[in-house]
Amino acid sequence: MGKVGLFIPCYVDQFFPRVGLATLRVLRGLGLEVEYPRDQTCCGQPMYNTGCSREARPLAERFVRLFAGYEAVVAPSASCVSMVKLHYPELLGGTDEVRRLAGRTFDLSEYLVDVVKVTRVEGEYAKKVGLHRSCHGIRELRESSSSERMDAPFDKTRQLVSQLRGIELVELDRPDECCGFGGTFAVTEEAVSCMMGRDRIADHVRAGAEVIAGYDMSCLMHLDGLARRDGTKLPIVHVAEMLEKARLSR
Amino acid sequence: MIHSHPDKARAFVADDERAHWHDKALWFVRVKRDRGAATVPEWEALRTAAEGIKAHTLSRLGAYLEEFEAKAAANGIQVHWARDGEEHNRIVHGILERHRVSLLVKSKSMLTEELHLNPYLEARGIEVVDTDLGERIVQLAGEPPSHIVMPAIHRKKEEIGELFHEKLGTPKGLSDPTVLTGKARVHLREKFLSAQAGLTGVNFAIAETGGFVVVTNEGNADMGTTLPRVHVASMGIEKVIPRLADLGVFLRLLARSATGQPVSSYTTHFHAPLPGGELHVVIVDSGRSQMLSEAHRRKALSCIRCGACLNTCPVYRRSGGYSYSYLIPGPIGSVLGPHRDLAGHASLPFASSLCGSCTDVCPVKVDLHHQLLVLRQEAGEEKLIPLGKRLGMKAAAFAMARPGLFRAGGRFARWVLRAAPGLARFGPAAVWLRGRELPEAPRESFADLYDRETAGKPEERS
Ligand code: SF4
């Protein structure tokens, strides 16, 4: 196997370095050769989602340059991955290089399940966990089935973490409703964004969750910000951190 | 003043109890839709078929419309063409005038809302009564519909009792839906019996047969087209489908998507005028052919107006129909409005978290959230994004193109956040901080941890 390029989104690099480290350890723990291209910054998603494709384009171009040489590119963030995978081809024009990169960029869960083909997870996480399934993981990357589509249910993240000893995944009333982060939406539509987030938290609390787990730190950052403001004791955790100490095997 | 979705939404959210009531009422409909859809094993195949039929039809729309016209004419239907609302309204008024119509009963038609038919006719001395219960409620209240399938969904039953008391003279304090519906029925029966003409929308026009189909739950379209001798049906050019066999695909999807019902209570096929009567179909363009001509807008014309994307939209549910500047609210309205007039509806492409629930729920697979993203780029190109946001993105992009600057800036920002957290309130995070905390700023970035990890040094906890 060739090298894996570790893609750590800008805000994860700055605010959630532990999540990046956990991702690195999970991948290295599988015996993979992982490298973090030092010059990476931001994939351009915030600009693109705000309608500033002019500003997004040079960032996307430098991302392609930095990551073109890797066999796979893996990130602990479904939303940023969907930017590269789904939106780079339309933003940059579908050149071979862009398409190739798009096809080889993965969110951590899908990389573990689909590419490495991890089937067994041995480890422990003895808590009641509410799994927050972020929208772009569901409806862009199809890491899990969506409640709208009548497909057979599946969930790659759940498939991994549900094997941890002692874990109890609580049942939510609305299993995949948006938390209201949405990038700059969180600020542009601040009122609705906060209400959406509070409603999600209430659902997790009602279900008995002790912690909210997810694969997208941006959504978790928003939920955590609301919970802390309201004095709700509901810490957040990224799936990479849950898997960091576990033994993953095919 | 520019109508801005965020401002209207903020006002809606401020009434927390009501906003949650609205959210739950619509989520309930979404859940019913899920149950309805789940009873059809081939649901996803149906959606794919519906998407394909629409794409095919739109690719040769002119031919199918002409086929429909010829077949309809052979059935004795009088077909009219209208370029825009003005022409449509003139045609309808001409028909009504010829028959000396003083009272027109209408069954729900979003198209005539779009074309402002009611005020046009009222200004010319014709009374127009909307006969769909929800539509009648908003008409009595002097409001536009707040939802395309449930026009009065924003009103509680107590408020409807109050409105009926005021406008229809019912006893004060009624709130039982059955009683209220009974009162409305008596009121509407009178109108049905005295109207000289009925107007309906069209759900599907079938090219092969020259007939068309109207779907309702209350049977009001049937009353309104069988009691008066004159029936006018208004349809947008996108309503035609090729064959009768295609209809089943859409009917199976429509009612389930709209309300979860396996089929609507009334699915009425019209093929010819009543004996001694007249049947007119007015086919309206009103901006649709423009959308058809641009590939990235075309797909929005596939919409069958089921309302499912509104019910599922976490933003619509929490901001209400009136927070949208276009008359059709929710995801499909935020697509259609800006496709027609981006400057007039510049806040709508941004009234979405891009969660994609609309796209997945849509029975004809309109790529709603993707169209919103495309419209955002158009808004950016046309400088319709607030200046502050544009400059912020420019500045961020400048820094992000320079790894050294990004790392130094990040380190500095985290240092400020740790040293003087109160300062954040004056920076770009001010709006974020209104209802939320910022994440705690760690001493080291991931890049720092990576170097240490790779060099095999123990991690320093921050
Ligand atoms: S866009 Fe799709 S979901 Fe929305 S109203 Fe139209 S058909 Fe229904």
Side-chain angles (χ1 to χ4, degrees), chain A residues 13-14 25 38 41 48-49 54-55 90 142 146-148 150 177 186 189 199 228-229, chain B residues 5 20 30 44 317-318 357 360 376-377 381 394 400 414 433 436-438 446 451 453:
Chain A
D13 174 62
Q14 292 298 314
R25 286 178 178 168
R38 256 326 204 114
T41 55
Y48 191 56
N49 280 3
R54 261 168 218 260
E55 281 69 32
E90 65 197 18
R142 303 287 171 199
S146 77
S147 62
E148 295 87 9
M150 298 295 137
E177 191 180 47
E189 292 271 3
D199 289 351
R228 283 196 289 129
R229 172 62 61 90
Chain B
H5 185 273
H20 274 110
R30 159 72 210 274
E44 293 305 323
R317 278 188 265 110
R318 292 175 180 82
S357 182
D360 271 10
R376 290 181 184 190
Q377 311 314 315
E381 283 302 307
K394 267 197 200 312
M400 294 299 188
R414 282 183 281 115
L433 278 164
R436 289 161 286 212
E437 299 297 333
L438 281 171
F446 171 72
D451 291 344
E453 175 87 354

Side-chain angles (χ1 to χ4, degrees), chain A residues 205-227:
Chain A
V205 169
R206 203 179 311 115
E210 295 163 352
V211 51
I212 299 190
Y215 45 73
D216 231 323
M217 279 323 282
S218 52
C219 308
L220 295 179
M221 168 176 78
H222 163 68
L223 292 172
D224 180 56
L226 288 163

Side-chain angles (χ1 to χ4, degrees), chain B residues 296-371:
Chain B
H296 66 289
R297 307 189 201 281
R298 188 172 305 150
K299 210 165 178 189
L301 289 174
S302 304
C303 170
I304 57 172
R305 300 289 191 272
C306 72
C309 60
L310 281 64
N311 305 338
T312 202
C313 178
V315 178
Y316 171 82
R317 278 188 265 110
R318 292 175 180 82
S319 60
Y322 299 147
S323 61
Y324 296 79
S325 53
Y326 190 54
L327 89 148
I328 296 177
I332 183 62
S334 295
V335 164
L336 290 174
H339 273 324
R340 288 164 167 266
D341 171 16
L342 186 54
H345 304 289
S347 71
L348 293 187
F350 299 90
S352 161
S353 61
L354 300 181
C355 74
S357 182
C358 47
T359 303
D360 271 10
V361 92
C362 177
V364 289
K365 296 198 186 177
V366 178
D367 52 343
L368 291 156
H369 78 295
H370 187 243
Q371 297 220 4

